[in-house]
Amino acid sequence: MDKSEVPVAHPPMANGPAMTTAQYSPEYTDHNSTQMATARDRIAGFAAGLASGATKLFVGHPFDTVKIRCQVEGGNGRFKGPLDCLISTVRKEGPRALYKGASIPLVGWAVMDAVQLGSLSNYRLFLQGSDKSHKLSHFEHGLAGLGAGWTVALVATPVEMIKMRLQMQYAVGAERKYRGPIDVARYLTKRYGVFGVWHGLPATMSQRSFFFFLWGSYDVYSEWLRSLRGSASFPFVVKSGSSSAVEDRSLPEKLVNFLAGGMAANTFWTFCYPVDVVKNRYMTQGDDNPISFRKMFRHVYRSEGIPGFFRGFVPSFIRSFPTNASAIFVWESTVRLIKNDGKH
């Protein structure tokens, strides 16, 4: 969700992002009929993912810079905490420093979300046997998320490797080690060979495995939110079937997408954050005597204990809700536009 990265089993999401709200809603869906996937269903997720990725960049990159710096500096680094990191960065390097390394994610996150959400759509369709009327279980949504996570890791690794190296560059002017993304890529290729920008692929695949929890929980939250109805008395939202429930006052589908996406992103980061810390330390360590991804776990524990695995957790947790909720909202709206659903 970084990356993350996240994203988006609401109507479109519950039975595959290719479904429209109208198709999934009880009053429209005929579970006894077969709705075979079309070519547009298979490509809509990829195209809409481009817009989702761009949204993530503009909303979330400043939080990401603070998170990366807190994670990599560790407990003995130059910052007392996330707020100190934010203030120090802006004071010493200017507000634009919060968007260091953003040029690569501007393209990279758009491509990553296109790959992630497009592959997620197709993994769901595969599990459905290409029948969109078949409802997937929470576990199956998690499996589709796992497959999407491993797939997008191929794109995410070079993007994150270059982005983090630039984010961790504190020098300015002539003292900089890297002049920009191309310079980083050139250095990694020279240092590690033609596949140098994929140096951290196993670590990225390990972290992206937690997309199982992201997309599995998204389905759980979406189902729960759709079961709520308006009520005339406090707390004004109750479960369907309650005595005070107004059955025709369900939550708008776009609000369900937004809230479920934010909560699923928070769930994802809660589970995967320790692995994310180790991954980022591994990918940004010095190149002279690097240690393996597995040994980095031991190094973090021995040097900082359990708290070391949660450095930068607060900005990451705060960032994950608005960033991913916004990205999902844009993604779903774009899918409907592409499918000409008429409910943009």
Side-chain angles (χ1 to χ4, degrees), residues 156-193:
T157 300
V159 172
E160 294 186 349
M161 176 74 83
I162 294 172
K163 173 182 69 73
M164 288 190 294
R165 295 248 174 171
L166 291 172
Q167 286 176 318
M168 293 308 300
Q169 181 170 251
Y170 296 98
V172 295
E175 298 180 0
R176 293 180 300 169
K177 180 177 181 179
Y178 307 115
R179 293 188 299 274
I182 296 177
D183 200 34
V184 177
R186 185 183 298 118
Y187 171 82
L188 291 172
T189 301
K190 182 178 180 180
R191 180 68 174 79
Y192 295 104

Side-chain angles (χ1 to χ4, degrees), residues 128-329:
Q128 291 174 302
S130 296
D131 177 7
K132 298 186 296 180
S133 65
H134 172 67
K135 189 180 188 321
L136 297 179
S137 66
H138 300 321
F139 181 77
E140 287 173 319
H141 277 288
L143 284 181
L146 176 64
W150 285 349
T151 301
V152 77
L154 297 171
V155 179
T157 300
V159 172
E160 294 186 349
M161 176 74 83
I162 294 172
K163 173 182 69 73
M164 288 190 294
R165 295 248 174 171
L166 291 172
Q167 286 176 318
M168 293 308 300
Q169 181 170 251
Y170 296 98
V172 295
E175 298 180 0
R176 293 180 300 169
K177 180 177 181 179
Y178 307 115
R179 293 188 299 274
I182 296 177
D183 200 34
V184 177
R186 185 183 298 118
Y187 171 82
L188 291 172
T189 301
K190 182 178 180 180
R191 180 68 174 79
Y192 295 104
V194 66
F195 296 110
V197 291
W198 283 277
H199 179 61
L201 180 60
T204 305
M205 291 187 70
S206 297
Q207 189 255 6
R208 289 308 199 276
S209 296
F210 286 84
F211 274 21
F212 175 91
F213 298 101
L214 172 67
W215 294 110
S217 68
Y218 188 92
D219 189 52
V220 173
Y221 292 133
S222 296
E223 187 175 282
W224 172 68
L225 287 167
R226 291 193 195 96
S227 72
L228 300 181
R229 296 294 182 270
S231 172
S233 58
F234 185 83
F236 307 112
V237 176
V238 296
K239 288 278 290 184
S240 177
S242 298
S243 58
S244 62
V246 180
E247 292 299 330
D248 63 350
R249 289 179 56 189
S250 58
L251 295 179
E253 192 59 38
K254 291 183 179 180
L255 181 59
V256 170
N257 301 156
F258 187 89
L259 295 177
M263 291 188 291
N266 284 161
T267 301
F268 166 75
W269 281 111
T270 299
F271 279 106
C272 90
Y273 199 80
V275 176
D276 187 64
V277 169
V278 175
K279 173 187 77 76
N280 293 341
R281 295 273 186 98
Y282 169 73
M283 293 173 69
T284 57
Q285 66 180 311
D287 297 306
D288 293 332
N289 296 295
I291 61 178
S292 68
F293 178 57
R294 179 178 59 83
K295 289 182 178 180
M296 185 61 77
F297 281 92
R298 189 183 310 159
H299 171 74
V300 172
Y301 180 74
R302 287 180 175 177
S303 60
E304 301 175 51
I306 296 298
F309 292 102
F310 292 91
R311 299 292 177 191
F313 178 76
V314 173
S316 178
F317 192 81
I318 294 174
R319 161 188 179 267
S320 65
F321 193 104
T323 301
N324 290 285
S326 299
I328 292 171
F329 177 84

Side-chain angles (χ1 to χ4, degrees), residues 80-92:
K80 298 176 182 178
L83 183 60
D84 181 53
C85 177
L86 173 64
I87 295 174
S88 177
T89 297
V90 173
R91 184 176 64 247
K92 295 180 179 179

